[in-house]
Amino acid sequence: AQSVTQPDIHITVSEGASLELRCNYSYGATPYLFWYVQSPGQGLQLLLKYFSGDTLVQGIKGFEAEFKRSQSSFNLRKPSVHWSDAAEYFCAVGNNDMRFGAGTRLTVKP
Amino acid sequence: DAGITQSPRYKITETGRQVTLMCHQTWSHSYMFWYRQDLGHGLRLIYYSAAADITDKGEVPDGYVVSRSKTENFPLTLESATRSQTSVYFCASSDGDGNQPQHFGDGTRLSIL
């Protein structure tokens, strides 16, 4: 069965520092992989997705993610975090019946 | 403005009552989804719909009913609400590019007493 693990419940980074949010998945075939962001009181916004091809995927808001099949990972990165990036981030895998991770809450220190 | 509208935003009801959560989208997207969000679980898919009159179960469908008589509407009904259904419910849509949720509503916070 497909599943997603986000090992970090909460991460704090300083503004301007680099960011990496971890995501590990379990899936029977070539996975479709996604990252979403959720601000308080709002729905999720799709940051980026991977279906096939280039394993480094560019998304909105300066985010990117790299698919590593050998590690079953799809980590999200950003070179320089802004205070407005503080939010909850969700990794997801699958097609129609998607599975979401439990989320990583990002706090940005001034 | 185009988008997904969920109503109500907040709802309090009692166990055993029937409650319907509404979802309306203005894009004419073919796919629509209902998720529930609970602390520590992320989002879990309840039902999804590929088109009008086509619906299918997700990960946690028990206790829920959906219908899709029109492309733009996808109501979710709890026929006899239970406390375990207290949650935040999100509706989402997709234009069919991969069939995954692309646009989310702002959610309905449902409390069942």
Side-chain angles (χ1 to χ4, degrees):
Chain A
Q2 57 202 43
S3 64
V4 178
T5 301
Q6 293 180 246
D8 304 305
I9 296 173
H10 184 205
I11 282 182
T12 299
V13 300
S14 297
E15 189 168 16
S18 63
L19 171 70
E20 183 169 27
L21 301 181
R22 296 183 292 164
C23 173
N24 295 100
Y25 67 87
S26 173
Y27 196 73
T30 301
Y32 292 175
L33 295 158
F34 309 82
W35 276 99
Y36 293 84
V37 60
Q38 183 181 31
S39 297
Q42 296 185 12
L44 278 68
Q45 181 181 22
L46 179 63
L47 285 175
L48 49 79
K49 59 186 177 184
Y50 170 79
F51 288 171
S52 64
D54 193 346
T55 57
L56 186 62
V57 181
Q58 301 298 319
I60 62 172
K61 304 186 178 188
F63 285 93
E64 66 177 26
E66 186 171 12
F67 169 56
K68 293 185 177 180
R69 184 187 299 275
S70 62
Q71 299 178 19
S72 297
S73 70
F74 189 58
N75 294 349
L76 182 71
R77 301 194 294 249
K78 187 169 185 178
S80 177
V81 170
H82 188 262
W83 63 266
S84 61
D85 293 323
E88 187 97 18
Y89 290 81
F90 294 92
C91 181
V93 63
N95 196 343
N96 290 333
D97 190 9
M98 287 176 65
R99 292 289 190 269
F100 284 79
T104 297
R105 184 160 61 93
L106 174 65
T107 298
V108 180
K109 292 191 302 184
Chain B
D1 288 339
I4 293 184
T5 304
Q6 291 186 236
S7 61
R9 288 295 313 275
Y10 304 91
K11 176 75 176 178
I12 300 174
T13 190
E14 297 176 338
T15 56
R17 297 273 183 131
Q18 181 180 84
V19 59
T20 296
L21 310 184
M22 304 301 294
C23 178
H24 175 79
Q25 53 116 345
T26 59
W27 290 298
S28 298
H29 284 169
S30 53
Y31 278 82
M32 295 188 75
F33 309 82
W34 273 108
Y35 290 88
R36 61 178 289 173
Q37 184 177 31
D38 304 289
L39 201 61
H41 286 280
L43 273 74
R44 290 180 291 175
L45 181 64
I46 304 171
Y47 270 95
Y48 68 98
S49 169
D53 297 322
I54 301 174
T55 62
D56 210 344
K57 295 178 180 179
E59 183 183 358
V60 289
D62 294 342
Y64 303 95
V65 175
V66 294
S67 62
R68 189 140 180 236
S69 57
K70 293 184 178 181
T71 299
E72 61 267 30
N73 296 323
F74 191 38
L76 175 74
T77 297
L78 288 68
E79 293 190 305
S80 179
T82 64
R83 289 198 178 93
S84 65
Q85 293 177 309
T86 292
S87 187
V88 181
Y89 290 85
F90 287 97
C91 179
S93 74
S94 169
D95 61 7
D97 176 22
N99 309 333
Q100 297 79 29
Q102 295 171 311
H103 308 279
F104 282 79
D106 288 335
T108 294
R109 184 174 294 276
L110 177 64
S111 296
I112 299 165
L113 307 177

